[in-house]
Amino acid sequence: MVPKKCKRTAIAQWKFARRCIFFTTTVCIIPIILVFMVTTDQYVRAVRARKSYGKLQTEQTDYYTEVKTWDDVEKRNERRRNHLRKTCKLLGLNKVGNDSLHKPNPWEFLINKKYQLVWCNVFKAASTSWMYNFNILAGYNQKILDDVKQVPLSLARKRYPRPSAKELEEAIKNSLSFIIVRHPLERLLSAYRDKIQHSMPRTYHQKLGFQIVARYRSKADKTKLRKQRWPSFSEFVRYLLDTVKNKEPFDMHWAPITQFCTPCMFNFKFIAHTETLEEDQNYIIHQAGLEGIIKPEWRNRGKGITTEQINKYYSELTRTQILHLYNVYRYDFELFNYSLSGFIEVGKPDEDPSTLLSAINSKDPSI
Ligand SMILES: *[C@@H]1O[C@H](CO)[C@@H](O)[C@H](O)[C@H]1NC(C)=O
Ligand SMILES: *[C@@H]1O[C@H](CO)[C@@H](O)[C@H](O)[C@H]1NC(C)=O
């Protein structure tokens, strides 16, 4: 016969053991599982999947109804157009002449007669998306557009031949004409990163990169950047400033918009900015009645330039170099109301302050 006392201790022991098991489960096993899930990405993936599902839902229902009303977008556009008109006049860019700034340049425009849409293609300013959209509007099917062997611009030019200035003027009269602009120095950095730093093997831009390195890399940097075959941003900018000084033509990826689209010569109805791209594109799509036909495409979306990247790359340049860049793009700055703030202060102070002064006083980047 087991004494009562012993029985009670047996029960107590069992209770204790149960508590122990409960305790180890909560304190040890759950965290271990959590750590396991996090390290193997299970947990993160579950959260991510839920999130993107939620986003898709809202995108489907609220796709075209942004926080801003169309009226707000229109008013902002009127401000931009007035600013452009006034500044064109102030800088004398509205007078027709023979040089590249004063000669209407229809070369980069695409005219879609069916949907009455006219666009000047500014590279590195949502151009991939809109090239895609124009190809959709031209009737190309998804399969062709997804084929990596097809060059979107070549496809587009088959259906949208380059117009003459006269054809363009006619088309603009009864179309929604638009241009997408971007901060000149952000656009330049984007072009550098895309075309020079991450150039595709055996392309024109990779070769150009090698040439820039051969010409501009100093002895000290040759040891420091031994493994880096592409030019640094600073080397690239030195090259760019020299081409301007030698009056060589610009590469289309970093040509100033003022030369590329001559915005003072054509009366754009809508001026979109990359800073407000989502609202502006939705407006264009709405206004042109394209809701069912194209969706705002977000290609290249992940390649936007962040403030950290601006700080990183522009801190490689001296302030004098940044001012020279301002001079190169000064009409783009003025016409589209951009400023040097956020860029110039990032630059390295110059060892010789007089170079900065002469850059301020000069309108010519060659000095
Ligand atoms: C432009 O050049 C043409 C011929 O080269 C000349 O006849 C014309 O007067 C020039 N126009 C202006 C505005 O300079
Ligand atoms: C130009 O930019 C400044 C500063 O960003 C802003 O306050 C002003 O309203 C802008 N002007 C126009 C016409 O958009």
Side-chain angles (χ1 to χ4, degrees):
M1 186 182 149
V2 188
K4 250 190 188 156
K5 207 175 164 197
C6 273
K7 212 179 191 175
R8 229 180 283 143
T9 37
I11 291 169
Q13 265 171 1
W14 169 234
K15 266 191 188 157
F16 177 73
R18 248 185 13 205
R19 254 183 228 149
C20 258
I21 291 168
F22 181 71
F23 187 75
T24 35
T25 319
T26 44
V27 173
C28 309
I29 297 180
I30 290 178
I32 285 170
I33 290 174
L34 275 181
V35 167
F36 175 76
M37 278 171 86
V38 169
T39 50
T40 56
D41 206 26
Q42 295 288 329
Y43 174 71
V44 181
R45 220 177 278 153
V47 171
R48 247 190 236 142
R50 236 195 343 271
K51 258 196 194 148
S52 66
Y53 177 70
K55 205 164 148 221
L56 260 181
Q57 290 281 307
T58 56
E59 268 183 8
Q60 268 163 9
T61 48
D62 308 337
Y63 213 75
Y64 298 103
T65 47
E66 289 295 325
V67 183
K68 283 226 171 228
T69 65
W70 296 141
D71 203 38
D72 292 333
V73 177
E74 254 159 40
K75 279 194 190 123
R76 183 173 60 199
N77 182 48
E78 271 320 297
R79 281 200 302 275
R80 287 172 179 171
R81 290 183 71 209
N82 285 336
H83 177 87
L84 177 65
R85 204 174 309 130
K86 259 198 311 211
T87 315
C88 285
K89 203 166 158 209
L90 201 71
L91 298 172
L93 289 170
N94 57 345
K95 292 203 186 75
V96 179
N98 275 341
D99 63 295
S100 63
L101 285 172
H102 298 86
K103 195 172 170 186
N105 181 10
W107 190 251
E108 301 298 338
F109 283 73
L110 282 82
I111 301 172
N112 187 304
K113 292 207 174 102
K114 185 171 168 197
Y115 296 100
Q116 297 182 309
L117 213 54
V118 170
W119 169 51
C120 184
N121 168 26
V122 175
F123 285 95
K124 312 317 297 168
S127 53
T128 313
S129 305
W130 278 92
M131 195 58 76
Y132 180 87
N133 288 342
F134 265 73
N135 278 332
I136 291 272
L137 294 182
Y140 286 114
N141 66 33
Q142 199 76 41
K143 219 166 132 197
I144 293 180
L145 297 180
D146 288 342
D147 180 355
V148 288
K149 283 190 290 270
Q150 300 283 353
V151 180
L153 182 59
S154 315
L155 285 178
R157 282 300 172 201
K158 277 186 206 151
R159 305 275 167 98
Y160 302 106
R162 298 191 189 271
S164 69
K166 213 161 173 207
E167 280 167 339
L168 179 58
E169 259 160 43
E170 273 311 303
I172 276 185
K173 274 185 207 151
N174 32 32
S175 298
L176 173 59
S177 52
F178 71 99
I179 184 171
I180 304 170
V181 301
R182 186 174 188 178
H183 190 292
L185 298 192
E186 196 190 301
R187 192 175 148 239
L188 179 68
L189 178 55
S190 174
Y192 162 77
R193 282 173 48 84
D194 218 30
K195 293 289 155 195
I196 303 292
Q197 182 177 357
H198 301 294
S199 63
M200 302 293 235
R202 290 177 300 282
T203 54
Y204 161 75
H205 285 108
Q206 191 190 44
K207 255 191 248 159
L208 175 65
F210 293 157
Q211 285 164 8
I212 295 174
V213 169
R215 201 152 118 212
Y216 292 96
R217 189 156 293 179
S218 67
K219 268 220 175 83
D221 283 349
K222 264 182 196 148
T223 1
K224 208 172 77 195
L225 302 175
R226 209 174 36 231
K227 289 213 180 101
Q228 183 179 312
R229 295 174 72 214
W230 64 89
S232 66
F233 189 50
S234 153
E235 288 160 351
F236 169 70
V237 166
R238 282 178 60 202
Y239 152 80
L240 175 64
L241 292 175
D242 275 351
T243 62
V244 175
K245 183 172 154 188
N246 300 332
K247 300 198 164 36
E248 288 163 31
F250 281 100
D251 183 287
M252 61 186 176
H253 296 94
W254 50 84
I257 297 173
T258 312
Q259 278 186 25
F260 211 58
C261 297
T262 47
C264 295
M265 298 290 159
F266 302 108
N267 187 13
F268 284 101
K269 291 205 179 71
F270 196 81
I271 302 167
H273 280 229
T274 52
E275 304 90 88
T276 53
L277 190 61
E278 197 154 340
E279 289 159 5
D280 292 344
Q281 308 195 111
N282 285 348
Y283 181 85
I284 294 167
I285 287 169
H286 172 74
Q287 204 60 16
L290 302 174
E291 273 105 338
I293 304 158
I294 53 174
K295 278 205 258 177
E297 269 293 323
W298 302 120
R299 303 197 160 211
N300 273 351
R301 198 191 205 181
K303 290 191 194 160
I305 297 286
T306 62
T307 311
E308 286 76 42
Q309 286 168 332
I310 287 172
N311 293 347
K312 175 173 167 242
Y313 288 93
Y314 278 92
S315 64
E316 282 182 32
L317 306 184
T318 64
R319 292 189 182 165
T320 297
Q321 279 178 309
I322 296 173
L323 271 179
H324 284 319
L325 285 178
Y326 169 77
N327 285 338
V328 172
Y329 292 100
R330 69 184 180 279
Y331 293 131
D332 289 7
F333 272 99
E334 301 305 330
L335 297 181
F336 303 110
N337 194 28
Y338 287 111
S339 82
L340 268 183
S341 124
F343 290 85
I344 190 77
E345 53 274 52
V346 174
K348 281 190 285 202
D350 290 83
E351 275 162 29
D352 176 5
S354 69
T355 59
L356 190 65
L357 264 181
S358 66
I360 289 170
N361 291 323
S362 149
K363 289 271 184 258
D364 180 356
S366 59
I367 296 170

